């Protein structure tokens, strides 16, 4: 990964904005289960339902955002999605006293936050074609430095006020929307409207149905992503209530996610070595990622100590570092102008795992604690390995032609 000095100024500003935005998100998302379970006094199953509703909104947001990229333009999608996400985050403290209103707000937050994601990824892929794989990884690292900063204080903020976390996240999201408004207006003035305003003639002439029929390019990759996100619900709907039930303070759990963010920054040399020696292609990176996830869940299942959870987080973070840049990079490289649609489709399939996972694992935890939740995570991660291997078999010729 080359130094940041080789990138233009706009990329550096974009990285700083992404870092700040991810820090704001980290103030809230690791604590949702704790908020519902401890502050609202509801069951872990109810906490899983809240995350399910938010994730369900996220699925429709991803699919709609990818489908509308060429119709609405990136500026309307990103600024509108992030801005409305900020609005509903700021309203969330006022709805927490009424369970159904709280669920509605969670759904809207998931929808508008996810609607902007395919547009942001597609914009990066189109605007920085020659270095997009590297840039996807650098932005991913910047986002997770923000996660480390946010989670470092999220547990302490929760001990003061959960609502404070929601409000700070909403304010930061509003600032992020303002940044994109200024930034994209500047891009439009200097580079033209190609990626900013809608321009239907630039859209792929194929309709969405024809794109979906090309299942080999996306389906098993999306299925593997679905399984990974489903299994990863073990953290919020297994480990999180387990630490509370053992009398651990909230900051013990937030420290795990702080470790996640720090590792994503400091373990880049290790990931570069893994890619160079074992996983040179994006297809291999996806499969290797699922293996690391599985090993992490095995640690949680085998040992129920805080130190084992720390080691599990290390393994799972390595898996995350491999897969997060690999999927958008693969899609951008191989699907051309249809990339926004496939980014939304695969992203939606991944988010679907968060829909199924929280509620199912919440029920399992309420039934018999951490063990059945971790066992399910191990089983599902094995399915993700199989899915990515099938995706690799279908697409290995494309990689050879690109070599």
């Amino acid at each position: 990964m080359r130094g940041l000095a080789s990138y233009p100024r706009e990329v550096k500003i974009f990285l700083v904005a992404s870092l700040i935005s991810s820090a704001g998100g980290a103030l809230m998302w690791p604590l949702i289960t704790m908020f519902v379970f401890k502050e609202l006094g509801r069951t872990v199953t109810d906490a899983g339902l809240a995350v399910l509703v938010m994730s369900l909104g996220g699925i429709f947001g991803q699919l709609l955002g990818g489908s509308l990229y060429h119709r609405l333009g990136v500026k309307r999608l990103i600024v509108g999605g992030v801005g409305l996400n900020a609005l509903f985050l700021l309203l969330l403290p006022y709805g927490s006293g009424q369970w159904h209103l709280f669920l509605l707000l969670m759904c809207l937050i998931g929808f508008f936050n996810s609607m902007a994601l395919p547009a942001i990824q597609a914009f990066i892929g189109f605007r920085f074609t020659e270095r997009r794989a590297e840039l996807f990884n650098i932005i991913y690292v910047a986002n997770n430095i923000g996660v480390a900063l946010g989670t470092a204080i999220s547990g302490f903020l929760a001990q003061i006020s959960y609502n404070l976390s929601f409000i700070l996240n909403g304010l930061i999201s509003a600032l992020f929307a303002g940044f994109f408004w200024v930034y994209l207006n500047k891009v439009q003035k200097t580079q033209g409207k190609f990626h900013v305003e809608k321009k239907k003639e630039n859209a792929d002439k194929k309709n969405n149905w024809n794109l979906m029929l090309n299942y080999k390019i996306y389906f098993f990759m999306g299925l593997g992503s679905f399984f990974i996100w489903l299994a990863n619900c073990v953290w919020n709907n297994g480990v999180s209530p387990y630490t509370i039930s053992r009398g651990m303070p909230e900051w013990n759990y937030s420290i795990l996610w702080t470790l996640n963010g720090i590792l994503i920054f400091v373990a880049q040399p290790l990931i570069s070595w893994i890619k160079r020696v074992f996983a040179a292609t994006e297809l291999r990176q996806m499969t290797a990622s699922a293996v690391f996830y599985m090993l992490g869940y095995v640690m949680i299942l085998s040992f129920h100590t805080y130190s084992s959870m720390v080691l599990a987080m290390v393994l799972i973070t390595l898996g995350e570092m491999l897969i997060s840049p690999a999927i958008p990079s693969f899609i951008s490289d191989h699907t051309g102008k249809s990339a926004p649609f496939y980014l939304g489709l695969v992203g939606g399939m991944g988010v679907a795992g968060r829909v199924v996972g929280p509620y199912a694992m919440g029920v399992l935890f309420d039934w018999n604690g951490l063990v059945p939740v971790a066992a399910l995570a191990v089983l599902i991660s094995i399915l993700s390995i199989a899915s990515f291997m099938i995706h690799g078999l279908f697409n290995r010729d494309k990689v050879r032609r690109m070599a």
Side-chain angles (χ1 to χ4, degrees):
M1 187 167 65
R2 287 173 278 184
L4 288 178
S6 64
Y7 286 91
R9 182 171 177 268
E10 68 169 298
V11 172
K12 298 173 186 176
I13 296 173
F14 189 91
L15 291 175
V16 172
S18 297
L19 186 152
I20 294 172
S21 176
S22 62
L27 294 175
M28 176 182 174
W29 302 126
L31 301 175
I32 284 294
T33 299
M34 290 184 175
F35 175 73
V36 175
F37 183 59
K38 183 176 181 180
E39 193 75 8
L40 299 185
R42 304 189 76 95
T43 65
V44 178
T45 302
D46 285 338
L49 178 62
V51 178
L52 183 153
V53 168
M54 181 183 69
S55 301
L56 189 61
I59 292 176
F60 291 106
Q62 288 259 16
L63 295 175
L64 191 62
S67 299
L68 295 179
Y69 184 93
H70 291 293
R71 292 182 174 87
L72 295 182
V74 67
K75 183 166 67 176
R76 289 180 179 144
L77 279 174
I78 295 179
V79 177
V82 176
L84 288 170
N85 176 60
L87 172 63
F88 292 117
L89 279 167
L90 292 172
L91 292 175
L92 193 58
Y94 302 99
S96 59
Q98 302 180 44
W99 179 241
H100 291 92
L101 179 58
F102 178 78
L103 291 179
L104 175 61
L105 289 171
M106 291 292 289
C107 180
L108 292 171
I109 289 168
F111 177 83
F112 287 109
N113 180 61
S114 296
M115 189 174 73
L117 294 180
I120 294 173
Q121 291 178 328
F123 176 77
I124 294 168
F126 288 147
R127 181 160 174 75
F128 306 102
T129 305
E130 295 181 357
R131 302 178 68 176
R132 60 188 169 201
E134 185 180 358
L135 190 56
F136 276 128
N137 188 58
I138 292 175
I139 290 175
Y140 166 70
V141 173
N143 285 342
N144 283 278
I145 293 174
V147 169
L149 295 174
T151 51
I153 63 172
S154 61
F156 299 101
L157 283 175
Q159 291 183 327
I160 300 171
S161 170
Y162 282 94
N163 288 337
L164 180 60
S165 299
F166 302 155
I167 292 171
L168 284 176
N169 192 10
L171 292 175
I172 291 173
S173 293
L175 290 174
F176 198 45
F179 159 77
F180 267 111
W181 174 261
V182 174
Y183 171 67
L184 293 174
N185 279 333
K186 182 178 179 181
V187 171
Q188 181 176 329
K189 290 177 182 177
T190 58
Q191 302 293 328
K193 296 184 177 182
F194 179 73
H195 296 307
V196 179
E197 296 295 345
K198 65 178 180 179
K199 198 167 184 179
K200 292 182 181 179
E201 61 266 30
N202 288 319
D204 199 316
K205 297 301 182 182
K206 296 180 181 179
N207 61 38
N208 291 348
W209 175 249
N210 287 333
L211 293 176
M212 289 184 68
L213 289 178
N214 187 22
Y215 70 94
K216 292 182 180 180
I217 199 71
Y218 76 90
F219 179 76
F220 289 100
M221 176 172 55
L223 190 63
S225 181
F226 167 83
F227 286 133
I228 275 184
W229 284 114
L230 195 162
N232 213 39
C233 294
V234 70
W235 290 105
N236 283 338
N237 299 91
V239 174
S240 172
Y242 179 78
T243 59
I244 292 176
S245 66
R246 288 300 180 97
M248 300 181 192
E250 284 94 336
W251 63 264
N252 273 25
Y253 182 66
S254 69
I255 285 294
L256 292 173
W257 291 102
T258 303
L259 174 64
N260 171 267
I262 293 173
L263 280 171
I264 287 167
F265 178 67
V266 301
Q268 283 297 316
L270 175 58
I271 287 296
S272 296
W273 179 79
I274 292 173
K275 289 179 179 179
R276 186 170 60 253
V277 177
F278 300 106
T281 68
E282 291 152 349
L283 299 177
R284 291 182 180 179
Q285 289 161 26
M286 295 177 201
T287 303
S289 166
V291 171
F292 276 112
Y293 273 96
M294 181 194 69
L295 294 174
Y297 302 139
V298 168
M299 287 300 303
I300 296 174
L301 176 62
S302 302
F303 308 99
H304 304 155
T305 64
Y306 187 74
S307 58
S308 70
M309 295 173 188
V310 171
L311 181 55
M313 179 60 80
V314 172
L315 292 168
I316 287 170
T317 299
L318 293 177
E320 179 188 343
M321 293 171 71
L322 286 169
I323 197 170
S324 292
I327 287 180
S329 181
F330 178 87
I331 294 173
S332 297
D333 285 342
H334 297 288
T335 59
K337 293 178 181 177
S338 300
F341 175 81
Y342 287 115
L343 285 166
L345 187 58
V346 173
M349 292 178 70
V351 174
R354 299 182 191 180
V355 171
V356 178
Y359 194 76
M361 291 189 176
V363 171
L364 286 176
F365 187 90
D366 287 337
W367 167 58
N368 201 27
L370 182 63
V371 172
V373 175
L376 179 62
V378 172
L379 176 62
I380 294 170
S381 62
I382 294 172
L383 295 177
S384 70
I385 294 172
S387 299
F388 286 130
M389 290 180 69
I390 295 172
H391 174 72
L393 289 174
F394 277 141
N395 292 280
R396 59 185 176 181
D397 291 339
K398 293 183 176 61
V399 174
R400 287 172 182 163
R401 287 199 295 269
M402 291 294 292

